Amino acid sequence: MSERLHADAARALHRLHADGALRQVDVDFAHLLRDRLRAAPAVALAGALAMRAVAAGHSSVALCDVPRLLDALGTSAQLPDPDDWRAALRDDACVAVDGDLQRGMDDDARPGTLLDFSRDRIALRRYARYEQALAARLTARAARVRASPGDLDALRALLARLFGRGDGDAAAALDRQALAAAMALRRRLLLVTGGPGTGKTTTVARLLAASIEAARLRGEPAPRIALAAPTGRAAARLGEAIDGVLRADLAAGRIDADIAGQVPTQARTLHRLLGWQRGRVAFRHHAGHPLREDLVVVDEASMVDLPLMAKLVEAVPDTATLVLIGDPDQLPAVEAGDVLGGLCAACGDGLSLPADDARFASALLSTTVPTADDAPLGGARVHLTHGWRQAGAAPLQSLAGALQRGDRDAVYAAFAGDDTAEDVPVLSRRHGDGAALVDALRHEALPAFAAVRDADDPARALALAARCRILTALRRGPFGAEHWNAWCAAELGERMPYFHGRLLMIAANSERHGLYNGDLGVVWHDRQGDVAVWFDTPQGLRAWRPAQLPVHASAYATTVHKAQGSEFDRVLLILPDSDARVLSRELLYTALTRARRSIWLWGAVETVERALERRTWRESGLEARLRSLVPVGQDAAG
């Protein structure tokens, strides 16, 4: 290896640290590789960048995309020659190269191997192993197909009763929902995707009822079902939504009381489902001690990062069915890896199926299902496209579609409409100086938060809290959530930390408390002057003393990332005046689709346009690994 490569790599590492593009932990990792493991300087540089990439949300980064990563980090440091750098990575004992993971070369056999360089991508070996294990397990799971899910005539009648037939677009939409249920009866892996209001939860509730009734038709016990989501709030929403669908379907005669009673309506966080253990990275449930459930449903799959998804898929038994629900246009998980995006790319568009699946579904649904060329996970995705929401739905769905397309003119046209819901404009946009923003929030937000404070009891306060939320792109600064939380508290006339009616959000999972990241609580002073914080938990309303709570913060304003998995009647989105790298089309889409009835957007035209033009960039090798694996073959497992 040339001395020039050594020198170039050392200079690049120094420059990146000086520019602030690398954190101290990234540089320390480079020094570990170089000084203790005798790695070449070029490998040490790659290690620092791999570590930094994970912090930026990438599970790996292609060698050719390293300049793009540096640009995103605000530096233009000179990098080593790519060919020389590539050769150095391939020749170093600290780096696992193409094929090592597939050949089962584990950490015990190569304890100093901390990096992976596969398919020209640099990754921390731990994340490469997550990707490889996830790809292998998903490929095997997708290949597991029931030879016969039961009597086709009986199943055809069952799906017709559950999903019915409408006219025109409604008929096509119901057919797609029934298609998802049909594929859940056939396959062990299913992604149900779609935008807001497309009936994902309705589909899954009926899918669960169909699975239970299909088992009864086969003379088998009802499947054991688990419902889960990444956050406490998302889990609560999933359970509430499924309960609402079951009640409506029971009243309409689509299902009987016995079937409805076997569909669970309580969901857990993923950490609780898998068995979070204090002070440990590993969960109680894993490949050696899998979950007992036969059918596992996970909502808000876009929020699940690579390590958590890998551990989830490992813990779900091979004979069980895994159903992932999500919107691929939302922001990806805060942590590394756009897992849902990679899975969707590997599944195809979700609008067509491989020939065998299409023939099965066409026979079961008495309709024609389009076919497509096989994808690595072909047949494992059904995408819903029809919007069902009613009050205020049309303008909100029109805006969501425009955001998905990045259609600037359509976005502005949506905000220029005059639709109202409950005498409030469904869509409104404003901008001005700081004083104007303060005045606007006094009018738009404070009455809703004052209503929470003035509620008759904690249950009513928590119900009112779902009516309005301020969302921000940033956490700190004059346009950040922290600033506006402090402002709301001051405007409500409160100075003590735990004032009556204060909204709080849990910021860390606590199995001991049964409280999880995203859970919303309200501070309540009773008539005796005692102070408690009330939360709506799966066990009902529960209260804790403030000092008992895990890490938490005020929740009048939250970042868009924190709001994922939640819905509010009214969303007030505040964008910064100056450009920020977090602004993206996905951030706008995620924020504005949190609204059920109306949206109030504060942002300059230029800021909105910059966000529409910028796409969230997440690097991952998952799709490539899925495409490289050969399916292990289909079986007839029941």
Side-chain angles (χ1 to χ4, degrees):
M1 188 185 308
S2 70
E3 290 298 321
R4 179 177 178 180
L5 177 62
H6 287 301
D8 287 347
R11 277 194 298 270
L13 185 65
H14 177 76
R15 170 70 184 279
L16 290 170
H17 192 204
D19 287 352
L22 294 179
R23 306 161 300 166
Q24 187 59 49
V25 67
D26 306 322
V27 176
D28 290 344
F29 183 58
H31 290 164
L32 168 69
L33 289 167
R34 187 191 63 195
D35 299 337
R36 293 187 58 187
L37 300 179
R38 307 289 186 183
V43 173
L45 172 63
L49 290 171
M51 181 80 81
R52 187 66 183 87
V54 167
H58 310 290
S59 56
S60 63
V61 61
L63 195 64
C64 63
D65 279 332
V66 171
R68 184 179 179 187
L69 174 64
L70 299 191
D71 180 64
L73 296 174
T75 183
S76 56
Q78 186 67 40
L79 294 168
D81 176 80
D83 290 335
D84 292 342
W85 199 3
R86 185 177 290 109
L89 287 166
R90 291 189 176 281
D91 290 343
D92 200 287
C94 290
V95 184
V97 297
D98 295 305
D100 282 357
L101 289 177
Q102 291 93 322
R103 290 194 296 270
M105 300 181 73
D106 58 26
D107 292 334
D108 292 333
R110 297 182 62 175
T113 307
L114 300 182
L115 297 180
D116 182 81
F117 189 58
S118 300
R119 300 173 187 84
D120 224 37
R121 305 183 70 86
I122 304 167
L124 297 178
R125 191 172 188 223
R126 178 162 60 99
Y127 281 84
R129 290 171 68 85
Y130 281 139
E131 283 188 348
Q132 184 65 24
L134 179 59
R137 287 192 170 98
L138 287 175
T139 300
R141 181 175 294 280
R144 293 181 66 85
V145 178
R146 287 182 185 273
S148 174
D151 182 276
L152 289 185
D153 289 334
L155 293 176
R156 187 180 297 114
L158 166 62
L159 294 180
R161 172 164 44 84
L162 279 172
F163 294 94
R165 293 293 301 222
D167 298 314
D169 292 342
L174 288 167
D175 282 346
R176 295 208 60 74
Q177 292 184 343
L179 177 60
M183 297 315 296
L185 296 176
R186 174 174 168 83
R187 287 187 164 272
R188 295 303 188 191
L189 174 67
L190 177 67
L191 277 69
V192 180
T193 60
T198 52
K200 296 188 293 294
T201 309
T202 298
T203 300
V204 170
R206 293 175 181 170
L207 175 159
L208 297 177
S211 298
I212 293 169
E213 195 159 346
R216 184 167 68 179
L217 290 170
R218 294 192 300 268
E220 299 174 358
R224 293 165 292 190
I225 299 170
L227 305 178
T231 68
R233 185 59 231 160
R237 272 191 54 225
L238 174 62
E240 291 162 3
I242 286 180
D243 183 60
V245 174
L246 292 175
R247 290 176 184 274
D249 284 354
L250 189 59
R254 294 190 185 94
I255 57 175
D256 60 38
D258 178 53
I259 295 296
Q262 295 180 73
V263 178
T265 58
Q266 295 291 331
R268 290 170 279 179
T269 64
L270 281 172
H271 285 78
R272 189 171 186 182
L273 172 71
L274 296 175
W276 179 82
Q277 302 178 93
R278 177 180 291 275
R280 298 189 62 185
V281 175
F283 291 107
R284 283 196 298 273
H285 292 288
H286 45 75
H289 182 217
L291 294 165
R292 298 180 58 199
E293 282 76 11
D294 307 299
L295 202 164
V296 177
V297 174
V298 179
D299 198 10
E300 298 290 351
S302 65
M303 299 170 63
V304 184
D305 60 37
L306 173 63
L308 186 55
M309 185 66 81
K311 292 171 184 178
L312 167 68
V313 172
E314 177 188 352
V316 176
D318 292 341
T319 55
T321 297
L322 174 62
V323 178
L324 303 175
I325 316 170
D327 183 347
D329 291 308
Q330 282 192 28
L331 283 167
V334 176
E335 304 300 332
D338 179 10
V339 178
L340 183 62
L343 295 185
C344 287
C347 287
D349 60 12
L351 303 176
S352 53
L353 295 174
D356 287 348
D357 293 296
R359 281 192 292 270
F360 166 80
S362 296
L364 193 57
L365 304 178
S366 302
T367 189
T368 300
V369 177
T371 60
D373 293 336
D374 287 346
L377 300 181
R381 179 188 180 193
V382 175
H383 188 65
L384 308 179
T385 58
H386 181 78
W388 291 94
R389 285 181 185 163
Q390 297 303 315
L396 291 175
Q397 288 170 353
S398 174
L399 175 63
L403 291 168
Q404 286 173 317
R405 301 187 304 272
D407 188 335
R408 170 187 176 277
D409 293 338
V411 168
Y412 292 135
F415 277 103
D418 57 1
D419 300 271
T420 61
E422 300 177 357
D423 298 323
V424 174
V426 174
L427 296 170
S428 59
R429 186 187 69 83
R430 289 192 57 188
H431 187 249
D433 59 18
L437 175 56
V438 166
D439 288 342
L441 288 178
R442 282 198 182 103
H443 174 73
E444 301 288 345
L446 282 183
F449 299 143
V452 172
R453 179 196 60 195
D454 299 337
D456 293 333
D457 54 56
R460 179 60 178 163
L462 288 169
L464 289 171
R467 289 189 173 182
C468 178
R469 189 65 51 85
I470 299 171
L471 301 184
T472 65
L474 305 173
R475 185 156 63 96
R476 297 189 177 91
F479 294 94
E482 292 178 355
H483 171 82
W484 292 109
N485 273 317
W487 178 84
C488 286
E491 287 290 316
L492 291 169
E494 304 296 347
R495 296 293 181 269
M496 59 188 297
Y498 294 96
F499 59 84
H500 182 80
R502 180 189 176 193
L503 290 176
L504 296 178
M505 181 177 288
I506 298 299
N509 295 322
S510 175
E511 181 76 15
R512 179 167 63 90
H513 294 84
L515 294 172
Y516 299 90
N517 188 10
D519 283 354
L520 185 72
V522 63
V523 178
W524 207 255
H525 296 201
D526 64 21
R527 292 179 179 175
Q528 288 72 43
D530 292 331
V531 180
V533 186
W534 290 84
F535 292 83
D536 190 2
T537 74
Q539 293 75 38
L541 277 177
R542 292 186 60 192
W544 283 263
R545 299 299 180 193
Q548 294 177 306
L549 294 178
V551 179
H552 56 276
S554 291
Y556 299 107
T558 60
T559 61
V560 176
H561 272 103
K562 274 285 188 184
Q564 283 187 270
S566 299
E567 281 188 346
F568 315 99
D569 290 346
R570 183 164 171 76
V571 162
L572 291 80
L573 175 61
I574 300 174
L575 299 180
D577 278 348
S578 57
D579 191 21
R581 291 189 180 276
V582 296
L583 293 176
S584 66
R585 188 189 305 176
E586 289 80 6
L587 182 134
L588 285 182
Y589 176 85
T590 302
L592 300 181
T593 54
R594 299 308 87 207
R596 284 188 287 250
R597 294 179 181 166
S598 67
I599 292 166
W600 182 90
L601 169 63
W602 181 273
V605 170
E606 315 84 71
T607 304
V608 175
E609 289 182 354
R610 280 194 294 266
L612 285 172
E613 292 168 358
R614 182 182 288 132
R615 302 304 303 268
T616 299
W617 176 49
R618 288 292 178 87
E619 280 285 300
S620 167
L622 179 60
E623 182 189 353
R625 292 185 190 276
L626 286 165
R627 292 190 179 279
S628 72
L629 292 173
V630 178
V632 297
Q634 297 181 350
D635 63 38

